Amino acid sequence: MTATDSSNPAVVFPRHVAIIMDGNGRWAKQRGKSRTHGHRAGASAVRKAVAFARRNGIEALTLFAFSSENWGRPAQEVSVLMELFMSVLKREVPQLKKNGVRLKVVGDISRFSDRLQDRIRQAEAQTAEGQELVLSIAANYGGRWDIVNAAKELAAQVHAGELEVADIDESSFERQLCLADLPAPDLLIRTGGDIRISNFLLWQLAYAELYFADILWPDFDDHAFAEAIDAFVRRERRFGLTSEQRQELLAGG
Ligand code: IPE
Ligand code: IPE
Ligand code: MG
């Protein structure tokens, strides 16, 4: 894949895109249908987004599918979402495998049924060889949970005498977080019109470009994805430096 447009070194494409897929319920409501109907339509939009990412050389796509706060929704909606997750995993794995997509589920999966946990592990194992795209599905994920979990892990290592407190720094902390094996997300897209993070990747998004679109998730198609990428390539990412310093760095490779 090419991370940069060779005709213009200043144009840098995102390697890792994260998406808060929001608006399924409103999409269904606009059509006089149940929220469940919206979630099913949302699953089709996921398939399209994965194909777009692959075709466009994006290395990693991380999708927020179910937050730790979404357990608070009506029981019927939660159970439909779980069933949908099960059936989508079952149905899509052969295609993902064929297309070289490596699937990973990030989040606290211990709260899911044993059946669903098994299905997740199977899907991960079956796609483990994928080299084209890493697809991470954030399920029962919360950014605060992720950070607390990392802190617990480091504390356990200190307790076991494997790590000195003085050796805890940003990199050792980061290694314990979800997505540690991937480059940090370059671009965060949120559909559905709300301008918030909703406890998604709190640490990992520190320097991501944020892009908010009114389009509801089931309507998110190649055109909408391309618009987000276009907006991204027009941004100047400075990472705390001056604009001149960044230009020099980019020109010098
Ligand atoms: C996003 O769509 C999907 C999940 C959170 C599971 P919503 O279900 O939040 O849709 P809206 O925001 O109510 O329209
Ligand atoms: C964020 O959407 C979570 C997912 C897309 C899975 P929500 O619909 O749960 O977010 P809020 O409640 O509007 O912040
Ligand atoms: Mg929502």
Side-chain angles (χ1 to χ4, degrees):
M1 76 138 264
T2 49
T4 54
D5 177 348
S6 52
S7 60
N8 181 357
V11 175
V12 179
F13 287 98
R15 295 176 66 189
H16 184 174
V17 177
I19 308 183
I20 300 176
M21 311 183 289
D22 197 22
N24 294 350
R26 280 162 285 166
W27 186 90
K29 196 170 178 192
Q30 284 174 359
R31 287 161 179 76
K33 298 270 179 60
S34 68
R35 295 180 59 84
T36 308
H37 182 75
H39 294 313
R40 289 191 200 290
S44 304
V46 169
R47 193 179 312 123
K48 282 187 224 157
V50 172
F52 179 96
R54 250 193 80 242
R55 278 202 313 278
N56 288 279
I58 291 167
E59 292 168 52
L61 180 67
T62 299
L63 303 175
F64 203 7
F66 191 84
S67 77
S68 38
E69 289 74 30
N70 289 149
W71 291 109
R73 293 193 176 191
Q76 197 261 349
E77 179 170 349
V78 172
S79 93
V80 164
L81 282 166
M82 294 301 139
E83 279 310 313
L84 192 59
F85 195 20
M86 272 298 276
S87 61
V88 167
L89 280 176
K90 194 170 177 177
R91 196 180 62 219
E92 298 296 328
V93 161
Q95 196 64 21
L96 294 174
K97 199 174 147 88
K98 187 164 157 249
N99 291 334
V101 178
R102 176 150 60 97
L103 177 85
K104 292 184 75 167
V105 174
V106 296
D108 182 7
I109 69 163
S110 68
R111 196 165 162 189
F112 294 146
S113 69
D114 291 343
R115 243 172 92 231
L116 183 50
Q117 290 184 46
D118 285 347
R119 168 77 61 210
I120 289 170
R121 286 191 206 99
Q122 269 176 28
E124 288 179 335
Q126 286 167 345
T127 60
E129 306 297 319
Q131 299 283 339
E132 297 294 313
L133 172 74
V134 180
L135 172 63
S136 306
I137 304 290
N140 193 20
Y141 177 86
R144 290 173 179 165
W145 164 82
D146 198 358
I147 291 170
V148 168
N149 207 43
K152 275 190 188 161
E153 186 54 44
L154 291 175
Q157 288 176 18
V158 170
H159 189 66
E162 297 160 6
L163 178 73
E164 296 291 331
V165 170
D167 291 332
I168 298 177
D169 57 12
E170 290 184 15
S171 0
S172 58
F173 197 95
E174 198 161 70
R175 278 197 293 278
Q176 305 304 328
L177 291 166
C178 292
L179 314 179
D181 47 344
L182 298 173
D186 301 295
L187 169 63
L188 170 79
I189 300 171
R190 182 179 183 136
T191 61
D194 287 307
I195 302 182
R196 56 176 170 261
I197 301 291
S198 300
N199 197 20
F200 197 25
L201 305 161
L202 297 178
W203 172 295
Q204 296 88 335
L205 292 175
Y207 261 108
E209 293 299 321
L210 309 182
Y211 178 87
F212 298 95
D214 288 335
I215 192 168
L216 302 173
W217 176 252
D219 290 328
F220 190 80
D221 56 9
D222 288 3
H223 177 73
F225 206 153
E227 273 186 346
I229 304 284
D230 282 351
F232 173 86
V233 300
R234 287 195 301 272
R235 305 259 181 101
E236 185 189 42
R237 305 181 79 190
R238 292 188 290 277
F239 298 98
L241 305 183
T242 66
S243 182
E244 291 72 19
Q245 286 175 305
R246 288 296 298 167
Q247 297 296 334
E248 267 171 45
L249 272 174
L250 286 168

